[in-house]
Amino acid sequence: MSSVDDPANVATNSYNLDNQNPEGNDRESEDNLSSASSKEKRKHSSTVTEEFTDTTITSCDKVIEKFKTKGKVLDHLTIHRVFDQCDRDSPIALEEISLRTSDWNEQVLSLLKIKVDQGVYEPHDLFNSGFVKFLIKQHATKISGFIGYTARNVEHQLLLKKCLTLAFTDIVKVDCSEIDEIPLHKVIEMENELNSRKWTQKFLKTLGSFDSKHECSVIDFCHSLRVWMKQFVQQLSWIVQKRKRSMPEEITEGMFQELFILFVKMFRTQISGYLNLSPYLLHLGAQIVSSTPDALIYSSSCRNVGKENAIAMIKINKEYRKYETSEGYEEQRNIGKRLKLDQNMSHIPSELKAKHIGEMLALLPSSVFGTRGIYGFLVQGTKVTLASLEADEEYLENLSNGVIPEKDCCGKVKYSEECNILTLEGRLALIPTLLDMTALLQYLCEGKT
């Protein structure tokens, strides 16, 4: 189509001819013609934009080049719309994905066909449904085996749960939502109580009677519990003192990482921080993505030499000082106290999801469940969220070959509700999940019966 035939030019020429006769052209007709011209330009631009952006071409330069080969006339409005549409809609290719999961965003998840369930689940329910889905297709017998294992050891597990419940209620005497709310004298009292030589005897007396066949294991567990609880309280004291001295800039993610690691160790769960971990590699075609989690829950006692043994990765984010010491922070915290809002994923910042999921994806080859799934913990300050990643059977193999299957979803991620380990409710809510996760790891890796 030539420029003469262009509807926008025809309308413009008509307006120019009429404008040569001022006596026959009143203000109303001028406005109508001008409006018609503008509408035609927008219609033409929109049509051309739709034609050339509804293609598989991902480069805006190539789109413009295709314009020219078809003899299209480009005005500045059309060019602007094409580039704007390209910026919004053009998918990224595998080779454009960052080689570090710490740089990933939600666009990467969309490309890799990973979808996030927008529901919020109770942690123990999420844990139970997770391992069943991870094992059901290839290792269904392990599900029934673990159920039998837990049934045979239910009495012992209940005793451990009773120990932890008592410790989190009567020893860790903290029940608040923020570090700022913890009185320093209360932390010092907890430290002094745990330093008592007769602590274990007093604790066992408070625990009450139980079957003598569990005596050795329960006493051993209580000794271990005291060690890690003492270190947990000391770390908490360190953070509280930093806050009391008004040094928020000195509170680091590493401090919260250490606090959570010590919390998990109370369950006699094997967990290691990032300083002891090597990068995990994820192959995306010719690309190799590197990822190092902040911590890892695993077993070092697998029966088969070389067998991978990770069950959950941990990502730490120092969300705590989000509002610093400003009035905005105080106002937000007061609002949170007054209102009980539906979380519905609002407790997880969107910029953290892709990074966290990327780390879980990189850990899949090392999962105790094979490549079908893995758990993850997202720790924001003292607030803990459990996650599960369930992947299709051949998903990682396809990614390694640079292939993304033509389907809506290849991987699905679910998140639990948030549990704040500074609150009694939050600590108690995590007991069943961490106890069963530890037991499952022992069953799968160590052959416990």
Side-chain angles (χ1 to χ4, degrees):
M1 181 173 70
S2 69
S3 61
V4 176
D5 296 327
D6 190 318
N9 289 330
V10 171
T12 303
N13 292 338
S14 174
Y15 169 72
N16 289 337
L17 288 172
D18 288 342
N19 202 39
Q20 291 176 6
N21 181 14
E23 295 179 358
N25 182 38
D26 58 18
R27 181 70 177 176
E28 182 179 354
S29 60
E30 179 182 335
D31 290 342
N32 289 339
L33 285 169
S34 179
S35 175
S37 174
S38 179
K39 288 179 180 179
E40 286 295 333
K41 285 184 178 181
R42 287 197 297 270
K43 180 179 179 182
H44 170 65
S45 175
S46 177
T47 303
V48 174
T49 303
E50 290 174 4
E51 179 180 353
F52 287 99
T53 56
D54 187 24
T55 67
T56 58
I57 296 177
T58 60
S59 166
C60 288
D61 291 333
K62 290 182 180 179
V63 171
I64 298 299
E65 188 63 33
K66 188 172 181 179
F67 254 123
K68 295 177 181 178
T69 59
K70 287 201 170 186
K72 298 293 181 180
V73 177
L74 296 168
D75 57 62
H76 72 281
L77 178 61
T78 302
I79 294 174
H80 173 77
R81 285 189 173 181
V82 169
F83 273 96
D84 185 57
Q85 191 70 26
C86 283
D87 288 340
R88 290 198 307 269
D89 295 346
S90 292
I92 58 174
L94 279 176
E95 59 270 17
E96 295 174 331
I97 293 177
S98 173
L99 300 183
R100 297 181 303 178
T101 56
S102 58
D103 295 328
W104 281 19
N105 55 35
E106 290 185 315
Q107 193 179 15
V108 176
L109 301 184
S110 178
L111 171 66
L112 298 180
K113 305 294 182 67
I114 297 176
K115 293 196 173 181
V116 179
D117 189 321
Q118 293 303 305
V120 177
Y121 301 87
E122 193 275 332
H124 198 229
D125 289 343
L126 181 60
F127 169 77
N128 285 333
S129 63
F131 81 81
V132 169
K133 289 181 179 179
F134 300 160
L135 296 172
I136 191 67
K137 287 192 175 181
Q138 294 181 328
H139 307 285
T141 55
K142 291 185 178 180
I143 300 174
S144 57
F146 178 64
I147 293 173
Y149 167 70
T150 54
R152 290 187 295 274
N153 293 278
V154 64
E155 189 176 347
H156 183 257
Q157 287 292 98
L158 287 174
L159 274 173
L160 299 187
K161 182 179 179 181
K162 188 176 180 181
C163 287
L164 289 161
T165 301
L166 179 62
F168 291 164
T169 305
D170 290 0
I171 310 301
V172 183
K173 299 173 183 175
V174 175
D175 190 16
C176 53
S177 59
E178 303 290 348
I179 294 286
D180 289 349
E181 299 170 7
I182 303 175
L184 184 56
H185 72 84
K186 181 173 283 190
V187 183
I188 295 173
E189 287 175 4
M190 289 188 289
E191 285 188 85
N192 292 336
E193 186 173 355
L194 287 164
N195 283 330
S196 171
R197 293 181 179 179
K198 296 183 178 181
W199 183 88
T200 304
Q201 290 176 314
K202 291 180 179 178
F203 187 79
L204 287 171
K205 186 176 180 179
T206 308
L207 188 63
S209 60
F210 49 86
D211 197 313
S212 59
K213 68 181 179 181
H214 298 300
E215 183 175 355
C216 289
S217 62
V218 171
I219 292 175
D220 185 46
F221 182 81
C222 288
H223 280 305
S224 171
L225 177 61
R226 179 196 177 193
V227 170
W228 297 120
M229 190 159 43
K230 183 178 178 180
Q231 292 189 38
F232 174 83
V233 171
Q234 288 173 341
Q235 181 66 16
L236 183 61
S237 175
W238 177 246
I239 299 174
V240 170
Q241 289 182 61
K242 289 284 187 184
R243 286 297 308 129
K244 298 301 180 185
R245 294 172 186 167
S246 299
M247 295 186 290
E249 69 280 357
E250 294 187 17
I251 297 180
T252 65
E253 288 185 352
M255 293 178 184
F256 289 109
Q257 177 196 35
E258 183 67 12
L259 191 69
F260 181 70
I261 286 176
L262 292 170
F263 178 80
V264 172
K265 283 186 174 181
M266 292 187 215
F267 295 80
R268 304 189 84 173
T269 305
Q270 282 190 284
I271 181 171
S272 185
Y274 71 93
L275 292 176
N276 294 318
L277 301 174
S278 300
Y280 288 82
L281 304 179
L282 175 66
H283 293 265
L284 300 177
Q287 302 283 89
I288 299 179
V289 176
S290 175
S291 179
T292 305
D294 292 321
L296 186 70
I297 296 177
Y298 68 102
S299 171
S300 59
S301 307
C302 280
R303 291 168 292 175
N304 302 324
V305 177
K307 178 178 171 61
E308 302 298 354
N309 53 6
I311 194 169
M313 54 71 57
I314 292 94
K315 182 168 186 60
I316 310 291
N317 179 56
K318 193 189 72 169
E319 173 260 5
Y320 176 66
R321 296 316 298 166
K322 183 176 180 181
Y323 299 95
E324 294 300 333
T325 55
S326 66
E327 294 179 1
Y329 167 71
E330 292 298 331
E331 180 182 355
Q332 184 72 14
R333 191 173 67 174
N334 291 333
I335 290 172
K337 288 179 180 178
R338 293 195 306 268
L339 302 177
K340 285 188 177 285
L341 302 175
D342 180 15
Q343 286 184 328
N344 194 30
M345 295 296 292
S346 63
H347 63 298
I348 305 174
S350 58
E351 64 270 18
L352 273 182
K353 290 177 191 173
K355 297 174 176 60
H356 184 231
I357 293 170
E359 290 182 4
M360 284 197 288
L361 190 60
L363 259 292
L364 266 185
S366 302
S367 171
V368 293
F369 306 110
T371 58
R372 291 301 308 275
I374 195 167
Y375 294 106
F377 285 96
L378 182 57
V379 182
Q380 301 177 78
T382 60
K383 298 160 189 171
V384 181
T385 304
L386 176 67
S388 67
L389 168 62
E390 178 191 358
D392 287 353
E393 191 170 344
E394 298 177 352
Y395 181 52
L396 278 188
E397 184 180 349
N398 286 328
L399 290 182
S400 181
N401 294 327
V403 176
I404 300 177
E406 292 295 328
K407 57 188 299 187
D408 291 338
C409 179
C410 298
K412 189 173 184 179
V413 178
K414 291 182 178 180
Y415 283 99
S416 77
E417 62 190 13
E418 193 175 72
C419 299
N420 191 341
I421 59 176
L422 292 185
T423 68
L424 175 60
E425 181 183 12
R427 292 191 295 275
L428 297 181
L430 289 170
I431 290 177
T433 301
L434 284 169
L435 275 179
D436 283 357
M437 183 176 286
T438 304
L440 179 59
L441 196 55
Q442 291 172 341
Y443 172 78
L444 292 175
C445 292
E446 301 169 27
K448 292 292 181 73
T449 57

